[in-house]
Amino acid sequence: QKEVEQDPGPLSVPEGAIVSLNCTYSNSAFQYFMWYRQYSRKGPELLMYTYSSGNKEDGRFTAQVDKSSKYISLFIRDSQPSDSATYLCATYLVFGKGTRLSVIA
Amino acid sequence: DTGVSQDPRHKITKRGQNVTFRCDPISEHNRLYWYRQTLGQGPEFLTYFQNEAQLEKSRLLSDRFSAERPKGSFSTLEIQRTEQGDSAMYLCASSEEGGNTIYFGEGSWLTVV
């Protein structure tokens, strides 16, 4: 089993929708979790990081960690066409495959 | 404050040639990482340094790959006798010591023909 699993999508939503992106991980020792956004042919850009369980909010973005189920989520409210990108979850040196998101105007 | 800088951004090389990529991390960061990313995949960890010490290497890093960080500042990643399967984006990242968030450069694209 891969250490971090992520549905690659693609995911297509209309502008203004709430987007939910999810990952699962296998190692219960992981404590820090990151979300990165990657535009085509660019390096990943750090969006948010969370420690242990709970929620963290930053503008339209909310990151959520549920350690009991080894599940991490990123929610995007009021999605915009500029949010169209690949979203990568990560924990200690390990990345998911990324979910490709398209927000349609 | 400049971010992580990588050079060259693009490289096309013939199979069998050697290539070298350079990475300059964020200046106050003493950890430096190399990743490889192919189309449709997330970044795959290759190796990381703390200052000049190479602390961890992935099994992905075959003996044709070598990374150095001689003075604990910039790093180089060399690929010898390139193969078509080496075609990928090579990403460098850096972090503070003990930091759990890493910051990436824009990547170096390698195409082996």
Side-chain angles (χ1 to χ4, degrees):
Chain A
Q1 181 189 9
K2 215 172 176 305
E3 288 183 291
V4 177
E5 299 273 7
Q6 186 174 10
D7 185 340
L11 181 61
S12 185
V13 301
E15 183 177 357
I18 296 173
V19 176
S20 172
L21 303 166
N22 307 293
C23 289
T24 58
Y25 62 95
S26 58
N27 190 336
S28 57
F30 292 151
Q31 297 276 7
Y32 288 87
F33 304 92
M34 282 74 73
W35 284 96
Y36 288 81
R37 177 174 61 197
Q38 187 173 28
Y39 293 111
S40 181
R41 301 186 71 83
K42 298 284 190 181
E45 168 196 10
L46 179 66
L47 267 181
M48 298 185 71
Y49 77 93
T50 53
Y51 173 72
S52 194
S53 281
N55 291 1
K56 185 173 182 178
E57 192 172 316
D58 184 2
R60 296 184 296 110
F61 298 89
T62 300
Q64 192 173 77
V65 177
D66 181 349
K67 292 205 77 182
S68 62
S69 57
K70 299 196 190 82
Y71 201 79
I72 54 178
S73 302
L74 179 71
F75 299 97
I76 307 174
R77 289 184 299 281
D78 188 25
S79 55
Q80 303 294 310
S82 58
D83 295 329
S84 299
T86 296
Y87 290 81
L88 298 154
C89 60
T91 183
Y92 187 66
L93 302 180
V94 182
F95 282 75
K97 283 190 172 184
T99 300
R100 192 153 51 95
L101 171 68
S102 294
V103 181
I104 311 300
Chain B
D1 177 34
T2 57
V4 178
S5 176
Q6 292 188 244
D7 183 69
R9 292 292 318 282
H10 300 90
K11 178 75 177 177
I12 300 174
T13 192
K14 291 184 178 178
R15 189 165 51 92
Q17 298 294 304
N18 299 344
V19 296
T20 299
F21 299 111
R22 174 181 169 126
C23 173
D24 288 89
I26 294 171
S27 58
E28 62 268 26
H29 288 180
N30 54 13
R31 284 193 177 174
L32 185 147
Y33 309 79
W34 285 101
Y35 281 79
R36 179 172 67 189
Q37 187 176 24
T38 53
L39 208 60
Q41 301 295 316
E44 294 175 298
F45 171 75
L46 293 178
T47 188
Y48 94 92
F49 293 84
Q50 179 154 309
N51 300 312
E52 64 274 13
Q54 189 171 18
L55 295 188
E56 196 166 334
K57 287 169 61 172
S58 163
R59 287 170 298 165
L60 291 175
L61 209 65
S62 78
D63 55 7
R64 295 185 299 106
F65 288 68
S66 62
E68 293 183 344
R69 195 182 183 198
K71 296 181 181 177
S73 56
F74 73 91
S75 175
T76 57
L77 176 69
E78 182 183 18
I79 308 173
Q80 296 184 323
R81 305 181 303 282
T82 52
E83 301 172 358
Q84 286 191 315
D86 297 331
S87 296
M89 180 164 66
Y90 290 85
L91 288 160
C92 178
S94 69
S95 74
E96 296 174 339
E97 182 174 346
N100 291 288
T101 52
I102 63 175
Y103 298 87
F104 284 90
E106 293 287 18
S108 292
W109 284 91
L110 173 66
T111 302
V112 181
V113 297

